[in-house]
Amino acid sequence: MRPPTRSVLSGVAVAVLLAAPAACTIKNSGADTGARPPATGKSGTGSAELADGSGVKVALVPGGAHPYFQPWKAAGAAAKKEYGLGDVTFDETAEWDQQKQDNLLSTLAARGYNAFGVFGVSPTDINTTFEDLRTQGFAVASLASCPAGPTDKADFCLSTDVEVAAYKAARAAIDAMGGKGTLVHLTGNNVDANTQLRIKGVAKAVKESGGKVRLLQTITDVDKDLQTAQKAVSDLLAAKGDRIQGIVTTAYNPAVAAADAVKSSGSAAKVVAIDDDAKILGAIKDGSVAATVVQNPVGQAEVGTWALALLQTKQCAMRHPGQTIDSGSFVVTKANAATYDAARKSKTEQLKKEFADTLLVCE
């Protein structure tokens, strides 16, 4: 699904950020935003510069082991230093099990952690966990995945809009195919709400082809590990390889597997992957992969930790609790393979500005 990146936490923007409906300003602004008071009745003309984060201990907790989350470690450590936080830890369970994740969160709370950035194992059940944490007085962010359905009991969700990202990936695959032919979609756990959104995104791109592109098959449940993905891709190419002009992958392990298999087999299928694993970037540079769509895990951890600290200190509140914010997705081709990370870093700074200008109300 997703590999680590090497971005580090950049300094908070120093530009003056003014907006009439805005809640806060970013560090060093000192300007009056003229913000309207939030529903809580607090004044909202303050700054998003963290006054004192020494009492905030943030836990970044993925749903389980996966390469996507590895950049959270460095981003969390950088945030601790940047904002003078009491601590930032990265912890995960060995298995993708909601009860085990809940137990881990309880253990972290008992150890003094009071702000949580969580990728919930079960999108249908995670709201119960979020509600429990908030009832205990903890700030909570849903990072990299939002709960299923219209309600989010976390303070906010900062995640890739996976339907949009999958649409971008499918469009890139269709373009690489010359706008016509047969496409296969490889993706993750079928019961995951994110997988269903990715399926919708790919279907939208196929529909827009006006019948020139046919979706031959959507293969789910192939992101458990690389071996599972490799077998699925091998079986696919053996059975239907001569009928496939394009492969779009919207999960990490099948992306790596498809890149390897197409290159080694000499298949003419155009592959569009997800995320920026070194193998995938290398394959883009040598032409065996047409493109990839990268996400922003570093930005999720950077901005998520910063916003959690502001919330936990009660210096700021969310104007609309439970709001979903797209952390960004970016199409990478041979043309921008060496420079795309600049766009991702720029998006992270834009997210900080968005929180300060419109999402947070600060005292």
Side-chain angles (χ1 to χ4, degrees):
M1 185 169 72
R2 306 136 168 162
T5 61
R6 298 300 181 191
S7 300
V8 296
L9 184 64
S10 55
V12 181
V14 298
V16 176
L17 305 173
L18 298 175
C24 312
T25 58
I26 290 181
K27 185 177 181 180
N28 295 336
S29 167
D32 186 345
T33 64
R36 65 184 184 271
T40 59
K42 294 180 181 178
S43 61
T45 57
S47 169
E49 177 182 4
L50 186 63
D52 180 7
S54 61
V56 179
K57 297 179 69 175
V58 178
L60 300 175
V61 183
H66 198 286
Y68 178 83
F69 302 112
Q70 294 307 303
W72 286 13
K73 295 179 182 179
K80 176 185 175 181
K81 181 178 180 181
E82 176 76 15
Y83 301 115
L85 304 182
D87 195 16
V88 179
T89 191
F90 174 94
D91 208 339
E92 62 190 8
T93 58
E95 299 176 49
W96 286 72
D97 182 283
Q98 188 59 61
Q99 186 57 57
K100 290 182 179 179
Q101 185 181 51
D102 289 347
N103 293 341
L104 173 59
L105 291 168
S106 296
T107 298
L108 289 165
R111 289 168 48 194
Y113 288 92
N114 53 17
F116 296 87
V118 181
F119 181 104
V121 174
S122 171
T124 57
D125 300 322
I126 193 62
N127 266 330
T128 300
T129 302
F130 291 157
E131 193 166 29
D132 179 61
L133 290 169
R134 291 189 67 196
T135 298
Q136 296 178 65
F138 303 140
V140 182
S142 185
L143 297 183
S145 178
C146 303
T151 301
D152 186 351
K153 294 294 186 178
D155 289 290
F156 62 89
C157 179
L158 181 59
S159 176
T160 308
D161 186 323
V162 294
E163 183 174 346
V164 169
Y167 170 79
K168 291 178 181 179
R171 284 294 315 164
I174 290 168
D175 289 345
M177 293 161 56
K180 62 183 179 180
T182 300
L183 181 69
V184 171
H185 178 201
L186 304 175
T187 190
N189 192 339
N190 189 51
V191 300
D192 188 338
N194 281 343
T195 296
Q196 294 304 313
L197 290 171
R198 291 180 176 111
I199 290 171
K200 286 179 61 178
V202 171
K204 177 182 177 182
V206 170
K207 184 177 181 180
E208 287 179 355
S209 75
K212 294 180 180 179
V213 175
R214 182 168 71 95
L215 185 61
L216 178 66
Q217 190 174 0
T218 296
I219 304 175
T220 62
D221 302 307
V222 289
D223 193 35
K224 179 181 178 181
D225 52 45
L226 186 56
Q227 292 72 28
T228 299
Q230 287 171 330
K231 184 179 186 306
V233 174
S234 177
D235 291 349
L236 171 69
L237 292 179
K240 304 176 182 179
D242 59 348
R243 299 164 56 192
I244 299 170
Q245 283 75 53
I247 299 173
V248 58
T249 60
T250 58
Y252 172 74
N253 286 305
V256 175
D260 285 342
V262 167
K263 184 175 182 178
S264 62
S265 69
S267 169
K270 302 298 184 181
V271 176
V272 172
I274 189 169
D275 296 312
D276 46 0
D277 180 89
K279 286 186 177 181
I280 291 171
L281 292 179
I284 287 174
K285 291 173 183 177
D286 71 23
S288 56
V289 167
T292 190
V293 175
V294 302
Q295 302 177 79
N296 192 9
V298 171
Q300 291 163 358
E302 287 182 11
V303 178
T305 297
W306 170 68
L308 281 168
L310 288 167
L311 295 174
Q312 186 57 29
T313 59
K314 304 299 190 289
Q315 186 177 323
C316 300
M318 292 298 297
R319 185 176 295 280
H320 302 293
Q323 187 168 351
T324 297
I325 305 98
D326 182 10
S327 53
S329 55
F330 314 86
V331 177
V332 178
T333 64
K334 186 181 291 188
N336 67 337
T339 60
Y340 72 91
D341 201 45
R344 186 160 53 182
K345 290 177 180 177
S346 177
K347 175 63 176 180
T348 297
E349 289 303 321
Q350 291 172 20
L351 287 168
K352 292 177 184 175
K353 184 178 186 298
E354 182 180 358
F355 268 86
D357 281 0
T358 62
L359 303 178
L360 292 170
V361 177
C362 302
E363 293 185 328

